[in-house]
Amino acid sequence: MAEPDRPVPHRPGAVSLFFVAKAGVFALGFWSWLLVLVVTGGGVTGGHVLAAAGAVTTTLVGVVLGVRLALQRSAAARHAELKRLLVDISWNAFAAAGNAESAGTVVPFPTTSVEGERGERDRVPTVFARGPGEWPGGRRR
């Protein structure tokens, strides 16, 4: 079997899917039990209340776990796509730098400027270099 050219992204949820299915089975059981109790008739007993509470609770748990599973799978897909995009960007930048025939083809990364390159106007005095009551630009309070 041929291996894919890109690795398959991590797909979370095997354990979460088990619990969603388990909650669904329990909800189905409680709803069935409640249906049987209602169809057989009679007054409302503790069994009716227990079946109704179990049905509602397991249904809500199943829905919450299902939503959580869907969000995890969506986030995993977005994360894999973001990683793939970052690798493509970095590889393209590396390949462009390696294939450049002249220095003008590749945009260089910004570097820190040497102190002599800054003009007098560009220098902003620190708080400690200013006198009391002085503000940048020569203004006073």
Side-chain angles (χ1 to χ4, degrees):
M1 182 173 160
E3 292 187 26
D5 59 340
R6 290 194 187 246
V8 178
H10 171 66
R11 294 283 184 188
V15 175
S16 295
L17 184 60
F18 169 75
F19 285 113
V20 170
K22 188 175 178 180
V25 168
F26 275 93
L28 180 66
F30 276 115
W31 283 111
S32 300
W33 182 29
L34 183 62
L35 181 66
V36 167
L37 288 175
V38 168
V39 169
T40 57
V44 176
T45 63
H48 288 86
V49 174
L50 180 64
V56 170
T57 302
T58 53
T59 301
L60 289 176
V61 167
V63 168
V64 168
L65 290 176
V67 167
R68 181 177 175 263
L69 173 66
L71 289 174
Q72 280 181 342
R73 292 180 77 81
S74 174
R78 283 193 318 269
H79 180 71
E81 185 62 30
L82 181 64
K83 283 187 354 185
R84 192 174 306 125
L85 180 65
L86 288 174
V87 167
D88 288 344
I89 289 171
S90 64
W91 178 252
N92 287 337
F94 175 75
N99 294 335
E101 295 178 6
S102 66
T105 307
V106 178
V107 177
F109 286 106
T111 58
T112 58
S113 62
V114 180
E115 186 63 31
E117 292 179 2
R118 296 179 74 181
E120 186 63 35
R121 201 183 75 172
D122 293 338
R123 287 197 187 102
V124 177
T126 64
V127 174
F128 301 112
R130 289 180 274 191
E134 288 185 21
W135 289 84
R139 296 182 306 160
R140 298 189 67 73
R141 282 196 226 177

